[in-house]
Amino acid sequence: IQLTQSPSSLSASVGDRITITCRASQSISIFLNWYQQIPGKAPKLLIYAASSLQSGVPSRFSGSGAGTDFTLTISGLQPEDFATYYCQQSYSALWTFGQGTKVEVK
Amino acid sequence: EVQLVESGGGLVQPGRSLRLSCAASGFKFEDYGMHWVRQAPGKGLEWVSGINWNSDTVDYADSVKGRFTISRDNANNSLHLQMNSLRSEDTAFYYCTKETGDTWGQGTLVTVSS
């Protein structure tokens, strides 16, 4: 199962609302997670099962979608949100990740 | 505290072997499938291998199939990755993670170079 993220990078300012999309090559129901990774650190789970907010993650992060099309939205970008974001499917035991979206300061 | 700690990384010559370990604590290890995920320097995340709770089912990425072996020891709360016939393209940080994705280790760096 291939996951295609877009865009591969984006420039934004603090306070902006941004959306990242992830498209699966086949239906994966809601078996889709979103991660944030800061350079030098392990990935951090933000959203699981497409739209469920992981405990401790700020509510400005939200996820939606099912089947093949998914989105991650950050409403009100904060300085600590500049990072790389990955989608990941667990529909198949052979996990796959999107190629990542780097969110940079405009 | 739920924690995963990887060890065993280092510099190894092409064609040689290395065994990674992941020590789990703070949760009932035997209840969860576990995975290895790697990240080459400056690149994205790549799933490597997964194992179910009782080792009945193991899976591998095509890039490592036949060279890497995943295993676990539920009695000692540990996960392992035996890596044989290493190639330069195996150079990466290797992370272990729970099947839920909510817990990751800090990663261990494997460098394959002559």
Side-chain angles (χ1 to χ4, degrees):
Chain A
I1 300 173
Q2 295 184 8
L3 297 179
T4 303
Q5 271 183 250
S6 60
S8 55
S9 66
L10 66 89
S11 298
S13 301
V14 172
D16 283 354
R17 180 177 184 269
I18 67 167
T19 297
I20 299 168
T21 66
C22 179
R23 174 163 289 177
S25 59
Q26 67 179 72
S27 177
I28 57 171
S29 184
I30 59 167
F31 290 90
L32 193 285
N33 298 331
W34 289 97
Y35 297 89
Q36 176 194 66
Q37 188 178 32
I38 293 167
K41 299 291 187 180
K44 173 187 175 183
L45 181 65
L46 300 175
I47 302 288
Y48 65 94
S51 61
S52 295
L53 190 68
Q54 174 66 10
S55 176
V57 174
S59 58
R60 62 180 179 272
F61 292 91
S62 63
S64 65
T68 60
D69 294 308
F70 302 87
T71 60
L72 172 70
T73 299
I74 309 174
S75 301
L77 204 62
Q78 296 299 300
E80 60 269 29
D81 300 338
F82 293 98
T84 300
Y85 295 84
Y86 295 92
C87 57
Q88 173 249 327
Q89 66 79 22
S90 57
Y91 178 84
S92 165
L94 282 66
W95 289 2
T96 45
F97 291 87
Q99 78 277 19
T101 296
K102 187 173 184 179
V103 177
E104 300 174 300
V105 178
K106 183 182 286 184
Chain B
E1 179 191 7
V2 177
Q3 197 172 12
L4 295 170
V5 179
E6 300 95 340
S7 61
L11 174 64
V12 61
Q13 294 178 327
R16 302 300 290 265
S17 299
L18 209 58
R19 179 177 166 89
L20 304 184
S21 295
C22 171
S25 59
F27 67 98
K28 196 173 181 186
F29 181 71
E30 64 190 21
D31 280 356
Y32 294 91
M34 297 292 295
H35 294 261
W36 288 97
V37 174
R38 69 184 180 184
Q39 186 171 36
K43 302 298 184 182
L45 299 170
E46 179 190 15
W47 175 80
V48 173
S49 182
I51 187 168
N52 76 329
W53 69 277
N54 66 353
S55 306
D56 271 357
T57 303
V58 297
D59 296 287
Y60 301 96
D62 286 345
S63 58
V64 307
K65 196 176 296 183
R67 300 187 299 123
F68 289 12
T69 302
I70 190 171
S71 63
R72 66 188 296 160
D73 180 351
N74 286 346
N76 289 297
N77 296 329
S78 61
L79 176 73
H80 304 282
L81 187 68
Q82 177 67 41
M83 305 186 294
N84 298 332
S85 304
L86 282 162
R87 305 168 180 167
S88 58
E89 54 264 38
D90 296 319
T91 294
F93 282 94
Y94 284 74
Y95 297 98
C96 60
T97 179
K98 284 171 66 182
E99 63 181 355
T100 49
D102 60 346
T103 304
W104 292 63
Q106 83 288 354
T108 188
L109 178 61
V110 173
T111 303
V112 184
S113 174
S114 53

